[in-house]
Amino acid sequence: VLYGDTVILFCAMAKKEDSRAVAFDKTRGILRWEKKFPRMHFAHSTPLIIQVNNKPQMLIVASGMEETPDALQSLDPADGKLLWWCRGEGDASSPAYGQGLVYFDDGRRGTGVAVDPTGSGDVSDTHIRWTIKLRGEALSSPIVVGEYLYRLRKLGFLQCWEMATGKEIYSERLQKISSTWASPIADPKGRLFFANAGLSYVVQAGPECRVLAVNDLGDGNHPSPAVANGRLFLVGMKNIYCIGTELK
C-alpha cells in the first residue's frame, strides 16, 4: 500500500519469524521502518489505512487458519508503532471499515468480528461491538457501503448486515457468478461491482438485493478488478479487459 511518500509491504509468512511490515521510500527505495511479527501466522490479506479521530491507522489481519489473541493489529503507518490489537481470525480476506467500526474475519469459516478502533493495547474485552458466525467460505474481502456490510461467499450467496449492530438484512444468491474470490468495489452512487472477466453482477447498495446489471465476458477468472480514470480493468484467463466509455 502507498502512504505519504512510502510504499508499505506486509509479509505474513508461513515461517513466523519472517513475518513483518516494511516501509520504503517510494522514490529512492531506502528503508524507512520495519516492524517484525515473530508470532504472526500467515495471511493473504492487504493492509487497510483508515482515519480515526483525524489520525491514520494501518490495519492488518493475519492469524493463519485459527483464532489468535492479535489477529487484527493496528499500526501507525508513519513509523510502524503498534497501537492496538484484537482477538479473532484472519487469513484470506482484508478488513473493512465503516460506521466507525472495523470488520474482519478469516474468509474461510469461523467468526466475523466488528471492533471499535478507538482503543489502545489489547481491546478484545473492551471494544468488540458484535460478532457473527460465517456460513461458508468467503475468500473475497468484505466491503462497507453506507449503513451496510456486504460479504460474498461460496456458491454466490451475497449476505448483508447492518454495520452498526450486526443484524442480518438479507442473504440472496447471485446465480452463476463466475468468481466469489474477486473482491467487490463500490462507486459514489452506491453501486457494488462484483466484477470479474466472466459472469459479473452490479448490485445497488441498500437493505434490498437490487440487481442492476449482469454481464458476461466469457473469460472467468479470480483476480479482483482495478479502477483508474473511470475505467474498470479485469483480468481473464485469456485477455485483460478495459471497460468504460470509448474516448473520442
Side-chain angles (χ1 to χ4, degrees):
V1 294
L2 290 169
Y3 175 73
D5 59 358
T6 61
V7 56
I8 302 173
L9 303 181
F10 174 48
C11 312
M13 310 301 290
K15 189 177 178 181
K16 294 180 184 179
E17 53 266 38
D18 290 337
S19 295
R20 66 194 64 209
V22 187
F24 297 98
D25 184 287
K26 71 179 184 182
T27 56
R28 294 178 292 166
I30 62 173
L31 180 68
R32 287 289 192 86
W33 58 260
E34 180 180 42
K35 173 69 174 178
K36 295 183 179 181
F37 304 106
R39 296 186 301 274
M40 179 176 283
H41 297 241
F42 72 89
H44 309 294
S45 57
T46 300
L48 175 67
I49 296 179
I50 65 174
Q51 293 287 325
V52 179
N53 295 328
N54 295 318
K55 294 183 178 180
Q57 296 187 19
M58 185 175 72
L59 306 173
I60 57 175
V61 176
S63 73
M65 298 174 69
E66 62 182 356
E67 182 179 278
T68 62
D70 55 359
L72 175 65
Q73 299 185 38
S74 175
L75 308 181
D76 185 336
D79 57 14
K81 178 183 177 182
L82 181 62
L83 303 175
W84 58 265
W85 60 93
C86 184
R87 178 180 61 248
E89 302 164 70
D91 169 16
S93 305
S94 303
Y97 178 64
Q99 298 293 307
L101 296 175
V102 176
Y103 173 83
F104 70 103
D105 61 41
D106 181 73
R108 300 185 190 275
R109 67 198 188 290
T111 302
V113 177
V115 58
D116 177 350
T118 61
S120 61
D122 187 350
V123 302
S124 304
D125 295 327
T126 57
H127 285 66
I128 291 178
R129 295 297 175 254
W130 51 261
T131 61
I132 55 176
K133 289 293 183 182
L134 298 183
R135 284 191 252 162
E137 180 183 88
L139 297 184
S140 62
S141 293
I143 189 171
V144 180
V145 180
E147 300 176 11
Y148 302 102
L149 166 71
Y150 300 88
R151 201 79 174 85
L152 182 63
R153 62 183 177 88
K154 200 171 182 179
L155 302 180
F157 284 98
L158 176 60
Q159 288 181 262
C160 172
W161 296 269
E162 189 176 66
M163 186 61 182
T165 65
K167 176 185 176 182
E168 184 171 344
I169 303 301
Y170 68 73
S171 178
E172 299 287 346
R173 191 173 183 184
L174 306 183
Q175 294 285 346
K176 298 182 179 180
I177 190 168
S178 294
S179 176
T180 58
W181 294 14
S183 294
I185 57 176
D187 69 10
K189 295 182 179 180
R191 293 175 295 196
L192 289 160
F193 293 79
F194 297 91
N196 70 93
L199 186 71
S200 300
Y201 278 77
V202 183
V203 177
Q204 182 63 50
E208 298 179 359
C209 185
R210 184 157 64 94
V211 176
L212 302 178
V214 181
N215 301 285
D216 192 354
L217 293 175
D219 193 12
N221 201 359
H222 295 309
S224 303
V227 176
N229 298 322
R231 294 187 168 199
L232 193 66
F233 295 85
L234 305 172
V235 178
M237 293 294 290
K238 300 177 181 178
N239 298 293
I240 297 174
Y241 302 86
C242 174
I243 311 299
T245 303
E246 183 179 2
L247 294 177
K248 300 296 184 180

